[in-house]
Amino acid sequence: MKKQMMGVLAAIALTLSSGVYAQETKAPGYMIANYTITDQAGFQRYMDAAGSLAAQYGGKIIVFNLNATAVEGKPESVMAIAEFPSLADAQRFYGSPEYTAARKFRVASTKGSVVITEGFVPPKQ
């Protein structure tokens, strides 16, 4: 009976620890934008409308460079990266009514691309 109880406790501990690991290693989500500003006034409207929105979805701006230096290829001049707790949070932000309204200003005043991706989580060692 004692061995059986120890086996049950070990199984519970393993289940709980793997659940905790899964929560601790949840991949962040990123919105990566690379563009060139073609209309400064329109872009300023985008910044005014979108500037504080990422935080409402758990996001934070980790890169915003108006003159990023290309070392390979021909990327656009502006590089911006927002990090979110998860891919779902990044997608929720991008599709939100508030950001959808702000995004129209960016689309009209820039040329380039935006990508939403899940971050890398190294395998457990």
Side-chain angles (χ1 to χ4, degrees), residues 100-111:
T100 297
R103 183 173 64 229
K104 293 174 185 174
F105 296 123
R106 182 187 45 76
V107 169
S109 64
T110 64
K111 66 177 181 103

Side-chain angles (χ1 to χ4, degrees), residues 42-112:
F43 185 73
Q44 187 59 52
R45 285 193 295 277
Y46 166 71
M47 292 299 291
D48 293 343
S52 63
L53 293 178
Q56 295 176 25
Y57 293 84
K60 62 183 176 182
I61 307 304
I62 59 172
V63 172
F64 185 74
N65 187 333
L66 293 172
N67 295 301
T69 302
V71 294
E72 291 184 25
K74 292 199 175 271
E76 304 295 337
S77 61
V78 177
M79 181 61 66
I81 302 173
E83 180 182 56
F84 294 86
S86 69
L87 179 62
D89 291 318
Q91 292 167 330
R92 206 170 12 266
F93 165 73
Y94 186 80
S96 71
E98 303 91 349
Y99 188 70
T100 297
R103 183 173 64 229
K104 293 174 185 174
F105 296 123
R106 182 187 45 76
V107 169
S109 64
T110 64
K111 66 177 181 103

